[in-house]
Amino acid sequence: MTKTPAPAVELRGLAKHYGDVVALTDVDLSIAAGEYFVLLGPSGGGKTTLLRTIGGFHRPTKGEVLLHGQEVGHLPPDKRPTTMVFQAYALFPHMSVTQNVGYGLKVAGMDKAQAAEKTAAALEMVGLDTFADRRPHELSGGQQQRVQLARAFVLDRDILLLDEPLAALDAQLRKDMCLELKHLQEKVGITFIHVTHNQEEAMTVADRIALIANGRLVEHGAARDIYRAPQKAFTASFVGENNLLSGRVTETAGQTARIDVGGTALRVDRRGQQVQTGQDVTLSIRSESVALDTAPDTEEDGTSLVGSYNEAVYLGLTTSHLVHLPDGTEMVSRVIADQDDMMPAAGAPVRLSWQPDAIRLHVE
Amino acid sequence: MATVTTNPVGRTRPADSPRESWSEKLGRWVFYLPLIFMVLFFAIPMAATVVFSVFERTMFWMEPGFTLFSYENFFFSARLTNFLDSMKYSLIAVAICFVLGFPIAVFVRKSIPQVAQHRVVLLFILPFMVSEIIRVFALRPVLQRNGLVNTTLQNLGLIDEPLTVLLYSHTGVVIGEVMSFLPFIVFSGFLAMEAVPKYIFEVCDDLGVGPWRRFCDVILPLAAPGIFAGSVFIFVNGLGVALLPNILGGPGAVNAGLIATQAITALDFPLAMAVSAIMMATLMTLLWIGHRLFDLTRILSPLS
């Protein structure tokens, strides 16, 4: 235990209540040093509360926050190895860019020449060295967020907390800034913990992602695993475009379970999960893994469903075909648009099929 | 429309002369109403004050002429000393109001939930529900020789003799000014704090900025225009409201307003006008300095 370096952040049984409202409950999480970690989840799910608890802006109701192995529950934000980039363009409006970045050092009582040097270096790192004398209101949103980054970097704290840092930017700028954040993190090498509700943003920057919803840590893992093989049905509903099917277990044989979905039997890999006959389960399958064809008369093979065609939604790169299953569930099959030359009539019977390993079983 | 018919066929009415309905015309004039009001009831009387201040004094009124006698009468008498004293004590009242009132404004902005903030500030309007003369007069039984303060202090054994400086003195006037004008610094401070975004406090927490630094480096520069506006308001009222020194003041403890009122009582209208003109000049100089220092237009413009 003592030989491996302590994780940058370790949370043990963390909970935060506001009166009767439970904002966070039972969060256990460990974030390695130098990792780009994303807290992803719907608004009001508790991810910002979690970030602020790590930063010391809230005191947890229960549980412990350990930073580099040290319990920090009693420390104010400035005594922790963390610093925060806020969602709003949280700069001092009456100070220039240089003054904003250097203010933390001035407060810390650093020698003036040394502080000026550090400030200039930080501004250069975020590409704002030519804007040093501007006031915040003379900068664009993206530039203001860079000033916040520079202000955080000069403090030499090694855990950077980012609270929806790109939420106020427009879509194109957000994409650019995402990549830039990722590159900055690689360059600086400190731990980034980034809160967002945007899964694309999360996918772009994250080494690992944790899903937070309803005050609980739903699931965490490498960004790719979260997308490709979500453990929980909630993850499947939130990350990527997944079709969720509810069904009932009719039979288990080895690793395979037979699930009855609206009268059709499907074969699903259990992936080690324990299921019993008669249990209600959820299945998920990504829309791009679902193929559509107009020959519904082939017999049941356990990896396909029959429904009636509803409509096509053209999205540019891809086209989503919406299909109604007999029980009313809507399923989506997404294909690259240009490959598509077949357009069934509305109401026509169609078959949706997939590779056996594309469908996942969720027990909740 | 006659011009249209004389135009060659196919030409339309020029776009720059659309017909205005009478309501549009009226709408345009409505914007001038405040201007008319200000000229009629503010600019003209103010100009008249300056003009009348150089008129000759007669037995019961004044007659046109040019003399600086009233100004001489003001500047080379005890009136000037009294005026300067009242400026000094007004400044003291401003300072006390700021020390007592601004923290209240900061507290309301920072620590009271958003929805309740305006209600809390409204509480400070309550004193205005009582006529000022009664409010001020009610201070007498509190401050006088055998009043509440003196009796309490004597009963506690803190003083042997009653304090006489509390009433009919500069101290009395300052107490009255603080009591009357404290709400204004709370209001203006509250508005001024609008220029201090809430996130600032979290950034300060994160950077480890202590309370004193936070106040000097961040809150004060951002709230300065609003604080200045509130301070000028209190200062000008401290100079001008005759009621306070009239009820709470005594020998020497007068202000410009009371000097002017006394001049009117003595039927010396040019002197009263001269005192008013001097007050006005003082105020304008103050505003000019304030504007140069803080750009007072910022009070009303939200931060971008």
Side-chain angles (χ1 to χ4, degrees):
Chain A
M1 272 296 280
T2 47
K3 292 217 177 105
T4 52
V9 178
E10 197 178 344
L11 309 173
R12 290 183 190 157
L14 205 64
K16 175 75 186 169
H17 302 184
Y18 294 105
D20 292 338
V21 183
V22 177
L24 274 181
T25 176
D26 280 336
V27 175
D28 291 285
L29 187 63
S30 164
I31 299 170
E35 195 172 17
Y36 203 130
F37 198 89
V38 169
L39 301 172
L40 176 65
S43 305
K47 55 197 191 310
T48 294
T49 307
L50 180 58
L51 191 79
R52 287 170 168 262
T53 310
I54 296 172
F57 296 95
H58 296 320
R59 263 165 198 276
T61 312
K62 265 193 297 233
E64 291 182 311
V65 178
L66 284 85
L67 301 178
H68 302 301
Q70 302 279 312
E71 218 280 303
V72 293
H74 56 290
L75 291 177
D78 60 299
K79 299 281 188 292
R80 299 185 179 207
T82 55
T83 179
M84 183 91 129
V85 169
F86 296 88
Q87 174 177 359
Y89 306 135
L91 301 172
F92 298 112
H94 60 299
M95 296 185 191
S96 72
V97 168
T98 310
Q99 286 168 328
N100 262 291
V101 175
Y103 188 60
L105 300 176
K106 188 176 157 193
V107 169
M110 184 184 272
D111 167 63
K112 260 188 190 167
Q114 201 186 343
E117 203 173 298
K118 282 198 91 153
T119 304
L123 282 177
E124 203 184 320
M125 179 158 13
V126 297
L128 282 180
D129 35 343
T130 52
F131 295 86
D133 297 323
R134 299 262 185 110
R135 296 275 163 141
H137 70 266
E138 296 168 320
L139 300 177
S140 70
Q143 287 167 333
Q144 294 194 39
Q145 290 309 65
R146 281 176 221 217
V147 177
Q148 281 211 66
L149 283 169
R151 179 174 68 197
F153 288 148
V154 293
L155 296 176
D156 281 335
R157 302 190 192 156
D158 58 6
I159 302 167
L160 184 65
L161 310 173
L162 303 112
D163 182 11
E164 302 252 10
L166 311 177
L169 306 181
D170 60 62
Q172 186 55 46
L173 196 56
R174 182 188 295 208
K175 269 186 184 167
D176 299 345
M177 278 291 285
C178 261
L179 268 179
E180 213 177 304
L181 276 175
K182 178 81 182 154
H183 294 152
L184 267 173
Q185 192 266 341
E186 282 160 5
K187 199 154 89 183
V188 185
I190 64 176
T191 314
F192 275 38
I193 304 174
H194 180 136
V195 159
T196 182
H197 60 265
N198 183 317
Q199 52 149 315
E200 209 175 313
E201 187 178 314
M203 287 295 169
T204 310
V205 296
D207 296 327
R208 284 203 303 148
I209 293 178
L211 261 107
I212 313 271
N214 300 322
R216 287 176 187 280
L217 174 64
V218 178
E219 184 173 349
H220 61 100
R224 275 163 203 271
D225 296 340
I226 291 283
Y227 184 79
R228 285 184 182 157
Q231 297 292 318
K232 302 284 171 65
F234 174 80
T235 313
S237 72
F238 197 77
V239 180
E241 189 185 80
N242 276 283
N243 292 295
L244 293 180
L245 304 167
S246 37
R248 177 165 290 166
V249 180
T250 52
E251 188 189 332
T252 52
Q255 272 305 304
T256 310
R258 276 191 173 279
I259 316 289
D260 176 80
V261 176
T264 312
L266 299 179
R267 273 186 294 116
V268 182
D269 191 338
R270 282 199 293 127
R271 289 182 306 158
Q273 298 173 97
Q274 289 303 319
V275 286
Q276 282 149 11
T277 306
Q279 190 179 348
D280 287 322
V281 293
T282 308
L283 302 175
S284 75
I285 178 161
R286 287 206 310 279
S287 59
E288 68 264 31
S289 305
V290 178
L292 180 79
D293 68 64
T294 45
D297 44 347
T298 39
E299 60 186 75
E300 252 179 45
D301 56 5
T303 56
S304 64
L305 282 167
V306 173
S308 64
Y309 190 76
N310 187 11
E311 61 176 325
V313 181
Y314 181 69
L315 297 165
L317 177 63
T318 60
T319 301
S320 291
H321 297 280
L322 311 186
V323 174
H324 277 301
L325 298 185
D327 64 352
T329 314
E330 186 171 75
M331 271 188 84
V332 181
S333 159
R334 198 152 56 128
V335 296
I336 302 283
D338 291 342
Q339 297 175 343
D340 164 63
D341 47 2
M342 165 214 74
M343 283 283 180
V350 288
R351 197 170 76 105
L352 298 164
S353 59
W354 51 85
Q355 296 298 313
D357 58 353
I359 194 159
R360 294 165 310 261
L361 175 71
H362 305 288
V363 185
E364 238 110 294
Chain B
M1 294 310 285
T3 51
V4 176
T5 52
T6 58
N7 279 341
V9 181
R11 255 183 79 178
T12 49
R13 202 158 53 106
D16 59 349
S17 63
R19 256 192 311 172
E20 270 184 311
S21 70
W22 66 270
S23 65
E24 276 175 329
K25 271 187 195 148
L26 189 74
R28 253 183 332 127
W29 277 99
V30 165
F31 288 106
Y32 291 106
L33 269 182
L35 183 73
I36 294 166
F37 181 88
M38 288 304 278
V39 168
L40 217 58
F41 298 110
F42 181 74
I44 293 178
M46 287 294 127
T49 304
V50 178
V51 173
F52 289 155
S53 71
V54 296
F55 276 16
E56 305 267 5
R57 181 184 179 189
T58 62
M59 187 66 86
F60 298 111
W61 187 234
M62 49 197 168
E63 60 184 24
F66 182 82
T67 170
L68 293 176
F69 180 76
S70 298
Y71 288 91
E72 195 190 320
N73 196 349
F74 178 86
F75 282 110
F76 299 99
S77 68
R79 291 192 181 92
L80 179 65
T81 329
N82 288 340
F83 181 75
L84 292 179
D85 270 354
S86 78
M87 277 175 90
K88 185 174 97 187
Y89 287 102
S90 284
L91 272 181
I92 293 175
V94 168
I96 296 175
C97 281
F98 176 74
V99 170
L100 294 180
F102 191 63
I104 297 175
V106 176
F107 172 80
V108 172
R109 268 280 180 221
K110 241 191 97 171
S111 309
I112 306 256
Q114 195 99 37
V115 283
Q117 283 183 1
H118 290 100
R119 288 175 205 178
V120 174
V121 170
L122 267 181
L123 287 180
F124 285 88
I125 289 180
L126 281 182
F128 295 100
M129 304 269 166
V130 180
S131 153
E132 188 178 15
I133 195 160
I134 292 167
R135 248 186 306 140
V136 176
F137 203 81
L139 273 179
R140 275 195 179 179
V142 177
L143 300 176
Q144 69 196 12
R145 221 184 130 75
N146 51 358
L148 194 62
V149 174
N150 275 323
T151 335
T152 310
L153 289 178
Q154 276 176 305
N155 289 349
L156 288 172
L158 292 171
I159 50 169
D160 299 325
E161 289 287 300
L163 300 170
T164 51
V165 291
L166 294 178
L167 198 57
Y168 311 125
S169 65
H170 283 299
T171 318
V173 178
V174 168
I175 292 173
E177 282 172 356
V178 170
M179 192 204 69
S180 291
F181 305 138
L182 186 66
F184 293 110
I185 205 87
V186 177
F187 297 149
S188 67
F190 181 76
L191 288 176
M193 284 301 288
E194 194 131 321
V196 184
K198 256 195 158 168
Y199 62 69
I200 289 274
F201 299 112
E202 289 194 318
V203 175
C204 286
D205 284 342
D206 199 29
L207 297 177
V209 186
W212 178 244
R213 253 222 132 98
R214 195 177 289 212
F215 183 75
C216 296
D217 287 358
V218 181
I219 295 177
L220 217 48
L222 287 173
I227 295 167
F228 180 80
S231 301
V232 166
F233 188 87
I234 293 177
F235 182 74
V236 168
N237 275 289
L239 276 190
V241 175
L243 183 72
L244 288 161
N246 209 356
I247 294 177
L248 303 171
V254 295
N255 66 6
L258 194 55
I259 296 172
T261 313
Q262 283 166 352
I264 291 170
T265 317
L267 297 179
D268 191 345
F269 291 99
L271 177 63
M273 297 296 176
V275 176
S276 307
I278 289 162
M279 262 170 65
M280 240 160 50
T282 314
L283 170 64
M284 290 196 173
T285 317
L286 268 176
L287 283 179
W288 181 75
I289 294 172
H291 186 63
R292 294 304 294 268
L293 284 177
F294 309 118
D295 185 6
L296 293 180
T297 54
R298 278 201 293 152
I299 303 170
L300 296 175
S301 66
L303 281 155
S304 52

